[in-house]
């Protein structure tokens, strides 16, 4: 698609409200017009900012990672690959687009530019983001870490990311997003497009920590080819103003597989509308959408999950579990199954409830007091085990969960 | 009689407004082994759960004394901490809480002297002896499973037993610890309880429908409940006749 064409489609969708989530007036924010500056090395990042990125799991020593990417607002960027790591690219999107002419074919291919006003706006304003690629056949053991930090008031962080796992490659990415708590009002627009080629494996782990004044509207989608695997895990553990996201994974090659995990720990007045859609478009594709939500304080959580079976011999499962800790919080689980082909085997389980009296009494009979019993049940509930995830990434999730619970309880 | 560890006095209990126990007097002395028997629905489990303090069981009259003091106002936790334990018939499953971590948590003896941040059953380090004990009970496979999640009937019995044993209580109510167990597991449970009896510092109250464990342990006293009342107090020598005649005939003869 030519870029003129893209702009035209984006213009036409500029006022198109999103299907879900509270509407945001995009004209209330400032967009960047200056270019991005490059940060040479992590040593050039202030110690304050280093502490901030560490909070979302970023390893500033960079010892156990194959590559790193940090972006502050839409302005400055650090992109780094371990010298000895072959077959891995981590580049700012602006640079990657200049470098590779073919990359524009991937831009807005998984996520249509005219989905809603957020994608449209993202295209129309200046953006940056990361391009991460594992070349064909390369197995990258250590994860790539990325971090998007939003520091400016009243402004928009406009990010467009493209991740490509070429044929037969293996790539693990952990990404953290954070806003310092002194930011008064801000908006994160994040477009992420994932391409998992034949026999490739990609895992994408997100640990996010926004501020109470941040609205977040990520738009992401993945396309998984024959026998490819895409695992996404999302831990959202801090309060924010609102988030609405509904990533879509298309399994287009036979034998493709995808598991989407999310854990939401709702606090304060935060509003969450988080979903995941698996579209099973080829034979023998399979996957899971697993979500766990805990609502405390006055938080509102909508947990969506859609399975769409478009081909025979497909199998997918949806699990949506919610635990309500406060009387003024709300959880709504919205599971949806659509089968359009014979032999699509789709199932779901959804539970929403308070900490069960039966469980509490049981634990108390073993000598725990009510508070200890409640906290044990909650801790058990939020444990998110992601099969197939490298241990280092699993422990990043575990640590983040532990940290939030300790802060909140 | 004085020197009771626990006693119920004219205990009356209802569930959802329906009277279940109609005034029960029972006494439990320290270190002895008791059997509570009686037909289905006679109120045996209700009695045990009421002593434990489960809230569905509403006490409408009478009292429960532990070391001569009423425990009616005590919470479940307080009762557990006093030394009362109850092995559930159908324990609820709790996801994300592993059985070994949990046992470590309720029994400090198993816990390595670990740093403070290993609390809450997160990465609690347990001593090897814990796994030896799992092995002995034949449930090593349950150690890193979620509490009661998908445990088979027989596994559940042994996991419950292990937990209440770990609490080192003064009195434990075992609700059919022998039901649904295969021959080998029955022996394991029998030996475990026998060892406890020989140590002599725990009062055992066993609710059961089978004679094997009761005879193996040589119970000291047998209480028979019927329709929410204590109708007979005897000892081990009554068990063969009970089995032969069944409750109806046995009770008709003895209460005649
Ligand atoms: N939570 C409850 N809700 C309603 N009814 C109850 C409840 N618990 C006990 N009951 C009733 O109380 C009566 C006694 O039950 P209990 O479980 O104490 O019997 P039991 O002697 O243990 O029987 P079994 O030998 O079958 O285990 C039964 O009629 C039972 O249905
Ligand atoms: Mg019973």
């Amino acid at each position: 698609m030519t870029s003129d064409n893209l702009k035209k489609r984006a213009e036409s969708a500029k006022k198109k409200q999103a299907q879900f989530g509270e509407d945001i007036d995009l004209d209330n924010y400032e967009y960047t017009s200056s270019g991005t500056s490059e940060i040479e090395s992590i040593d050039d990042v202030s110690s304050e900012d280093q502490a901030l990125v560490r909070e979302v799991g970023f390893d500033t020593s960079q010892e156990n990672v194959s590559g790193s990417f940090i972006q502050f607002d839409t302005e400055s960027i650090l992109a780094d690959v371990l010298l000895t790591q072959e077959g891995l690219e981590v580049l700012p999107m602006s640079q990657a687009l200049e470098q590779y002419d073919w990359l524009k074919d991937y831009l807005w291919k998984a996520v249509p530019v005219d989905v809603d006003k957020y994608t449209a706006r993202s295209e129309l304003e200046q953006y940056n983001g990361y391009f991460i690629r594992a070349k064909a056949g390369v197995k990258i053991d250590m994860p790539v870490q990325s971090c998007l930090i939003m520091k400016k008031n009243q402004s928009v962080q406009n990010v467009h990311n493209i991740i490509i796992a070429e044929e037969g490659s293996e790539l693990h990415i952990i990404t953290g997003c954070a806003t310092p708590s002194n930011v008064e009002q801000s908006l994160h627009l994040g477009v992420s497009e994932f391409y998992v080629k034949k026999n490739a494996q990609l895992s994408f782990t997100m640990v996010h920590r926004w501020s109470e004044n941040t609205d977040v509207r990520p738009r992401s989608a993945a396309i998984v080819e024959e026998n490819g695997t895409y695992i996404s895990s999302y831990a959202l553990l801090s309060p924010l103003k609102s988030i609405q996201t509904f990533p879509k994974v298309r399994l287009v090659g036979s034998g493709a597989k995808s598991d989407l995990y999310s854990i939401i720990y709702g606090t304060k007045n935060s509003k969450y509308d988080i979903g995941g859609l698996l579209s099973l478009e080829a034979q023998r594709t399979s996957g899971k959408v697993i979500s766990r939500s805990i609502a405390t304080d006055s938080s509102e959580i909508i947990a969506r999950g859609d399975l769409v079976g478009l081909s025979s011999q497909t199998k997918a499962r949806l699990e949506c579990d919610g635990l309500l800790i406060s009387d003024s919080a709300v959880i709504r689980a919205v599971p949806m199954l659509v089968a359009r082909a014979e032999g699509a085997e789709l199932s779901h389980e959804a539970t929403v409830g308070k900490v069960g009296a039966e469980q509490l009494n049981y634990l108390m009979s073993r000598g725990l007091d009510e508070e200890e019993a409640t906290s044990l049940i909650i801790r058990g509930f939020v444990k998110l085990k992601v099969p197939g995830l490298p241990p280092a990434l699993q422990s990043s999730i575990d640590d983040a969960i532990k940290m939030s619970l300790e802060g909140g309880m | 009689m004085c020197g009771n560890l626990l006693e119920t006095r004219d205990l009356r209990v209802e569930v959802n407004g329906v009277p279940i126990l109609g005034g029960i007097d029972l006494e439990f002395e320290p270190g002895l082994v008791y059997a509570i028997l009686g037909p289905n629905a006679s109120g045996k489990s209700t009695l045990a759960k009421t002593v434990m303090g489960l809230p569905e069981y509403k006490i409408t009259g009478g009292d429960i004394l532990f070391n001569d003091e009423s425990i009616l106002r005590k919470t479940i936790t307080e009762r557990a901490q006093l030394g009362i334990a109850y092995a559930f018939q159908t324990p609820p499953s709790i996801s994300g809480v592993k059985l070994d971590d949990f046992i470590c948590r309720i029994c400090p003896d198993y816990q390595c002297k670990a740093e403070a941040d290993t609390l809450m059953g997160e990465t609690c380090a347990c001593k090897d002896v814990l796994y030896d004990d799992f092995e002995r009970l034949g449930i090593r496979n349950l150690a890193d499973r979620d509490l009661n999640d998908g445990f088979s009937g027989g596994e559940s019995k042994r996991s419950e037993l292990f937990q209440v044993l770990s609490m080192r209580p003064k009195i434990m109510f075992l609700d059919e610890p022998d039901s649904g167990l295969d021959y080998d597991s029955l022996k394991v449970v029998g030996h475990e309880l026998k060892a406890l009896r020989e140590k002599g510092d725990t009062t055992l109250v066993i609710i059961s429908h089978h004679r094997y464990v009761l005879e193996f342990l040589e119970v000291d006293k047998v209480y028979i409940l019927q329709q929410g009342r204590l109708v007979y107090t005897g000892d081990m020598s009554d068990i063969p006749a009970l089995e032969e005649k069944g409750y109806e005939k046995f009770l008709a003869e003895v209460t005649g």
Side-chain angles (χ1 to χ4, degrees), chain A residues 292 358-370 372-373 375-377 379-381 383 385 398 402 406, chain B residues 54-55 76-77 80-81 86-88 91-97 102 105-106 117 120 122 148 160 163-164 167:
Chain A
R292 295 265 171 120
E358 199 195 352
Q359 292 185 332
L360 271 182
N361 294 334
Y362 178 73
L363 295 178
M364 285 165 68
S365 81
R366 299 286 133 93
L368 279 66
D369 65 30
E370 188 169 350
E372 292 168 330
S375 127
L376 190 65
I377 292 167
R379 275 159 200 272
F381 182 84
K383 255 186 206 166
K385 286 280 161 273
D398 296 347
K402 211 170 146 196
E406 269 152 24
Chain B
L54 300 186
I76 303 176
T77 309
Q81 286 168 352
Y86 169 64
F88 282 60
S93 78
I94 298 176
S95 72
V97 178
F102 186 62
R105 173 96 194 261
I106 60 179
D117 68 347
M120 299 308 304
E122 280 285 294
N148 305 325
E160 281 298 291
Q163 290 176 49
V164 295
M167 292 173 68

Side-chain angles (χ1 to χ4, degrees), chain B residues 68-219:
Chain B
D68 299 326
E69 275 186 49
S70 175
I71 57 166
L72 294 194
R73 306 183 75 113
K74 296 208 182 294
T75 63
I76 303 176
T77 309
E78 287 165 340
R79 294 179 199 206
Q81 286 168 352
L82 274 178
I84 301 172
Y86 169 64
F88 282 60
Q89 236 176 341
T90 44
S93 78
I94 298 176
S95 72
V97 178
K98 287 184 184 170
L99 181 58
D100 57 356
D101 289 341
F102 186 62
I103 288 184
C104 253
R105 173 96 194 261
I106 60 179
C107 181
D109 295 5
Y110 286 125
Q111 220 167 26
C112 288
K113 294 272 172 282
E115 318 83 84
D117 68 347
T118 58
L119 288 172
M120 299 308 304
E122 280 285 294
T123 43
C124 160
C126 308
K127 283 183 182 159
D128 289 344
V129 57
L130 173 71
Y131 298 97
D132 296 343
D133 290 349
F134 265 116
E135 206 80 59
R136 207 179 58 250
L137 283 162
I139 47 171
R140 179 65 183 83
N141 62 313
L142 301 183
D144 71 342
R145 292 254 301 269
D146 284 0
L147 202 50
N148 305 325
D149 186 21
F151 291 7
S152 80
E155 286 176 339
S156 195
K157 292 287 165 198
R158 281 172 287 162
S159 141
E160 281 298 291
L161 179 64
F162 195 5
Q163 290 176 49
V164 295
L165 287 173
S166 302
M167 292 173 68
R168 313 262 190 271
K170 297 207 173 67
I171 181 166
M172 58 170 78
F173 288 83
L174 302 173
D175 204 343
E176 302 190 21
D178 48 3
S179 74
L181 291 185
D182 62 35
Y183 296 117
D184 307 6
S185 309
L186 204 54
K187 260 190 202 146
V188 168
V189 168
H191 280 107
E192 216 56 41
L193 295 177
K194 183 97 167 199
L196 198 64
R197 173 186 183 70
E198 275 156 15
K199 266 169 74 192
D201 48 10
T202 309
T203 302
L204 281 168
V205 184
I206 298 167
I207 299 170
S208 177
H209 292 296
H210 304 287
R211 62 192 285 184
Y212 174 84
V213 169
L214 303 179
E215 291 186 333
F216 184 72
L217 282 179
E218 303 175 37
V219 296

Side-chain angles (χ1 to χ4, degrees), chain A residues 9-237:
Chain A
R9 276 175 59 197
E11 279 295 344
S12 72
K14 227 178 141 176
K15 298 225 149 26
K16 187 173 165 190
Q17 285 202 7
Q19 190 184 0
F20 303 118
E22 219 164 277
D23 191 47
I24 294 172
D25 185 350
L26 293 176
D27 294 330
N28 279 346
Y29 297 87
E30 272 170 38
Y31 298 80
T32 319
S33 48
S34 61
T36 358
S37 68
E38 214 168 302
I39 305 169
E40 290 279 325
S41 109
I42 189 80
D43 302 329
D44 301 332
V45 176
S46 74
S47 58
E48 201 179 308
D49 286 345
Q50 288 202 23
L52 190 61
V53 300
R54 270 198 298 271
E55 248 184 60
V56 282
F58 194 92
D59 171 15
T60 44
S61 76
Q62 295 181 283
E63 268 163 20
N64 298 306
V65 297
S66 54
S68 299
F69 180 93
I70 306 181
Q71 177 171 333
F72 292 99
D73 295 303
T74 314
E75 251 114 84
S76 53
I77 284 183
L78 169 96
D80 222 3
V81 173
L82 194 72
L83 285 175
T84 52
Q85 182 63 62
E86 291 194 10
L88 172 68
E89 282 177 295
V90 178
L91 298 171
M93 182 57 78
S94 51
Q95 187 186 329
L97 281 169
E98 273 169 32
Q99 198 165 324
Y100 297 119
D101 198 38
W102 50 262
L103 190 55
K104 65 179 190 313
D105 297 335
Y106 288 84
L107 208 59
W108 299 114
K109 180 177 155 193
V111 179
V113 67
D114 51 6
V115 169
D116 55 33
K117 63 199 256 188
Y118 305 103
T119 53
R121 195 66 175 229
S122 177
E123 168 63 21
L124 295 171
E125 302 291 343
Q126 178 172 315
Y127 60 81
N128 218 325
Y130 50 78
F131 167 70
I132 302 176
R133 177 161 77 129
K135 293 192 177 157
V138 178
K139 186 171 181 298
I140 298 159
D141 290 322
M142 287 195 295
V144 176
Q145 60 177 351
S146 96
C147 195
L148 303 169
I149 304 292
M150 219 162 34
K151 296 202 298 183
K152 291 208 317 202
N153 264 331
Q154 224 33 58
S155 78
V156 175
Q157 183 175 44
N158 188 14
V159 178
H160 196 136
N161 306 316
I162 292 181
I163 295 95
I164 303 177
E166 298 279 12
E167 187 168 332
S169 66
E170 183 179 332
L171 176 61
H172 302 280
I173 300 173
I174 177 155
T175 161
C177 288
T179 326
S181 45
N182 59 1
V183 170
E184 279 158 25
Q185 192 189 14
S186 55
L187 170 67
H188 174 90
L189 291 181
V191 178
S192 298
E193 301 185 90
F194 301 88
Y195 300 94
V196 182
K197 302 292 179 72
K198 193 171 161 182
N199 297 325
Q201 285 181 49
L202 172 64
S203 84
F204 191 71
T205 302
M206 289 160 276
V207 177
H208 289 182
R209 188 166 278 275
W210 306 102
S211 91
E212 278 161 66
N213 307 310
T214 308
D215 287 296
V216 186
R217 293 293 181 273
R219 296 292 177 257
S220 62
I223 297 178
V224 187
E225 296 179 10
E226 193 180 330
N227 291 322
T229 304
Y230 174 61
I231 299 173
S232 149
S233 27
Y234 188 22
L236 180 50
L237 306 161

Side-chain angles (χ1 to χ4, degrees), chain A residues 373-404:
Chain A
T374 307
S375 127
L376 190 65
I377 292 167
I378 296 171
R379 275 159 200 272
F381 182 84
V382 302
K383 255 186 206 166
L384 186 70
K385 286 280 161 273
V386 183
L389 203 63
L393 297 190
Q394 176 70 57
S395 66
S396 293
I397 297 180
D398 296 347
D399 291 350
I401 290 173
K402 211 170 146 196
M403 222 164 75
S404 313

